[in-house]
Amino acid sequence: MLDRKKENVRRLEQEELRRNAEEARRVRKEEEQRQFKELLLKMSVDQEEDRRIAEEERHRAKDRPRLEGIIAQLRQQNAEQRQLLVSLLDEYCNAGKDQSHEIFEAVNPS
């Protein structure tokens, strides 16, 4: 009978150990599931934020001038500046000729 009591006590202790181990596994699994859900939620939030940022970037890109347009504007500005420089050079040359002619006539009154 004493052996039976010892066997029962041993079985109860083993059963208690098994229940404790199962409870620890259950707690660990619940924690893992909670962390996994948090990770999924964070990924979802991050993905939505990335979509929002990408959409904003697409809208900003529509408002920006295209490279071809910028090049065309620069070429137009270049042509206008070249024309202005030619015009200024012509005016300078003509003014210099007029001054030379006035000085020549002032020095040589014929």
Side-chain angles (χ1 to χ4, degrees), residues 93-104:
C93 287
N94 288 338
K97 287 179 185 176
D98 290 344
Q99 286 179 351
S100 295
H101 185 65
E102 289 174 5
I103 292 173
F104 181 73

Side-chain angles (χ1 to χ4, degrees), residues 1-108:
M1 186 114 139
L2 188 57
D3 288 338
R4 229 182 163 143
K5 282 186 178 184
K6 285 183 182 179
E7 181 64 28
N8 283 341
V9 168
R10 189 182 60 77
R11 247 186 301 145
L12 288 174
E13 287 174 352
Q14 286 178 342
E15 193 174 310
E16 182 68 25
L17 288 173
R18 231 181 352 261
R19 272 192 249 131
N20 288 343
E22 287 175 8
E23 179 66 20
R25 276 194 304 275
R26 186 187 61 74
V27 168
R28 190 178 63 246
K29 281 186 175 185
E30 286 177 354
E31 178 62 19
E32 288 172 356
Q33 285 180 345
R34 185 191 62 77
Q35 289 175 350
F36 184 68
K37 286 178 182 177
E38 285 179 2
L39 179 64
L40 287 176
L41 180 62
K42 183 179 182 327
M43 287 172 59
S44 177
V45 168
D46 290 349
Q47 192 176 38
E48 188 59 37
E49 178 68 11
D50 291 343
R51 282 187 190 123
R52 185 189 62 76
I53 290 170
E55 184 65 26
E56 287 177 1
E57 181 58 31
R58 278 193 292 277
H59 285 300
R60 280 194 301 270
K62 287 179 185 176
D63 296 338
R64 277 186 250 146
R66 299 281 181 232
L67 187 57
E68 296 82 14
I70 293 172
I71 291 172
Q73 288 175 348
L74 290 173
R75 285 184 177 150
Q76 177 65 29
Q77 288 176 356
N78 189 16
E80 290 171 0
Q81 289 175 351
R82 182 177 288 126
Q83 185 179 8
L84 179 62
L85 286 173
V86 167
S87 172
L88 289 173
L89 181 62
D90 287 345
E91 288 178 20
Y92 178 75
C93 287
N94 288 338
K97 287 179 185 176
D98 290 344
Q99 286 179 351
S100 295
H101 185 65
E102 289 174 5
I103 292 173
F104 181 73
E105 287 195 6
V107 173
N108 280 331

